[in-house]
Amino acid sequence: MSDSKLSKNLLRMKFMQRGLDAETKKQLEEDERRIISDEHWYLDLPELRARENLILEERSLVSCEDLKYGRFSFQGFNPEKLMVMMNPKEEEEDKQEEEVSCMQLDVTDEEMALRYESLVGSMRKKFSRKRDQTSEDVDIKRVFLKPQD
Amino acid sequence: MFSGLREKVGQVLVPGDEFCLEIPETLSLSEPMKPEKVLLGPGLKRKGDRKLLVVKSGVLRHKQPHVFWVENQQRRYVPARGETVIGIITVKSGDVFKVDVGGSEQASLSYLAFEGATKRNRPNVQVGDLVFAQFSVANQHMEPELVCVDSAGRANGMGVFGAGGLLFSVSLGLIRRLLRPRSDVLSDLQKLLPCELVVGMNGRLWARASSVQQTLVVSNLLQSCDTMSPPQRQQLFRRAAQGAL
């Protein structure tokens, strides 16, 4: 299939774009642009320059009076907030670190003991080999039990 | 060019006063003609091409090089873009929270406007929570919109807060006095108690100290020193320092 037999509209479609080479693509684009610019209407007037506004309006007082940021912490009440005025970025990181350390301290001794009980059993099972596993099961003899009336 | 305005700095203006910006009559040929710009803050509006209109009653203030505004006292807040406010979440509907900021209508806050929030990872915000947020859109034609991140995507101290403190409202003048670069009220409060303070420009303050009584002391002090002159305020703070602690 040569390019001359296919219509221009078909060539412009997306699925045909991959097969085309760069030259034909450029040709198509140029033709399109020419058609579009001919269709555009423009006024034949001298160039008007937009007048610069000398008066600018600002609704907020923050820039007028150089107001500070709204979070304060006095006498070390919340140490992370103290940094907000000077270094707002560091505040979030400090908070997250504090939260993590708080959570770690909350595990009680009882919970630790419970966990270790199960941990020992599961660790033993992990290192036992297949032969050891089968020997454990053989000990329990399964016998048919008659149902009692 | 705006010598008429400059003369009135520090004087009281009333709504309806007009100023005309004059064009210099002689143009110097040696220097390039640079039109001087004027930045109008709240209280002043542009009328036409070269006229100014005063819309609020108060004292005219000036900041170098060419910023003018009218300083007035009011309790009603009007949302303005870029201001940080304390809001209360009232409605949680789908993707958007409705926040009460004390203005004429409720502002909207998208759940994606928090730090680290994605469609799967939604922020933990409930109805009734306090948020410290910034206006991204606030004009008379559209519903105000809030965001809890800055333009770089960082929270910067904004977001949900408020466990264990007290929220109260004061006039906008006191808020301005607290947030000024060298604020007397803030330095007095600093020497008094260890406490944490969040200042919203919509007239709302949130305070937290180590005990309930101290929190109440801080809130009462701030609410009463609104209408006091500096000597009265310092006397009040001194009495509080001796009595309450």
Side-chain angles (χ1 to χ4, degrees), chain A residues 92-108:
Chain A
E92 277 298 318
E93 295 170 11
D94 290 340
K95 239 207 264 179
Q96 280 170 21
E97 281 178 30
E98 224 211 332
E99 283 176 26
V100 166
S101 59
C102 278
M103 277 169 57
Q104 285 176 351
L105 290 170
D106 281 343
V107 177
T108 59

Side-chain angles (χ1 to χ4, degrees), chain A residues 110-126:
Chain A
E110 292 176 80
E111 286 177 292
M112 285 296 283
L114 279 171
R115 193 174 172 263
Y116 269 119
E117 273 182 53
S118 56
L119 180 69
V120 167
S122 52
M123 289 303 276
R124 194 194 301 145
K125 267 197 226 165
K126 187 183 176 184

Side-chain angles (χ1 to χ4, degrees), chain A residues 53-58 60-61 63-72 74-75 77-78 88 91, chain B residues 35 37-41 46 63 69 83 156-158 176 179-180 190-191 194-199 210:
Chain A
N53 267 332
L54 299 172
I55 310 176
L56 300 168
E57 278 190 36
E58 159 93 43
S60 166
L61 261 183
S63 51
C64 288
E65 290 198 25
D66 292 331
L67 298 179
K68 293 193 281 195
Y69 192 68
R71 296 198 88 152
F72 304 102
F74 301 129
Q75 298 189 18
F77 186 72
N78 202 340
E91 191 232 343
Chain B
K37 289 198 179 181
V38 171
L39 188 68
L40 301 180
R46 180 174 57 147
K63 188 179 94 160
W69 73 94
E83 294 191 344
N156 232 8
M158 295 190 272
R176 263 202 330 264
L179 291 177
R180 249 184 232 168
Q190 205 162 7
K191 293 171 208 157
C195 66
E196 189 191 342
L197 195 67
V198 177
V199 181
S210 33

Side-chain angles (χ1 to χ4, degrees), chain B residues 79-97:
Chain B
R81 200 195 127 96
E83 294 191 344
T84 47
V85 292
I86 296 181
I88 306 173
I89 309 264
T90 52
V91 175
K92 184 175 173 182
S93 64
D95 293 347
V96 151
F97 303 113

Side-chain angles (χ1 to χ4, degrees), chain A residues 123-138:
Chain A
M123 289 303 276
R124 194 194 301 145
K125 267 197 226 165
K126 187 183 176 184
F127 291 116
S128 65
R129 297 189 195 152
K130 248 190 185 172
R131 286 180 197 166
D132 299 335
Q133 274 183 5
T134 47
S135 65
E136 279 183 61
D137 289 338
V138 162

Side-chain angles (χ1 to χ4, degrees), chain B residues 116-193:
Chain B
T118 57
K119 283 191 181 166
R120 299 248 178 109
N121 179 20
R122 293 183 177 226
N124 187 14
V125 178
Q126 307 302 325
V127 172
D129 278 352
L130 294 173
V131 269
F132 190 60
Q134 200 178 21
F135 279 109
S136 68
V137 168
N139 52 34
Q140 66 197 88
H141 307 292
M142 292 165 62
E143 182 196 31
E145 285 177 25
L146 291 168
V147 285
C148 280
V149 275
D150 60 5
S151 47
R154 285 186 295 254
N156 232 8
M158 295 190 272
V160 179
F161 68 100
L166 181 66
L167 180 76
F168 52 99
S169 64
V170 291
S171 74
L172 303 187
L174 179 66
I175 301 285
R176 263 202 330 264
R177 264 175 280 156
L178 280 172
L179 291 177
R180 249 184 232 168
R182 279 164 297 276
S183 164
D184 296 330
V185 187
L186 212 60
S187 49
D188 285 344
L189 194 61
Q190 205 162 7
K191 293 171 208 157
L192 195 64
L193 283 177

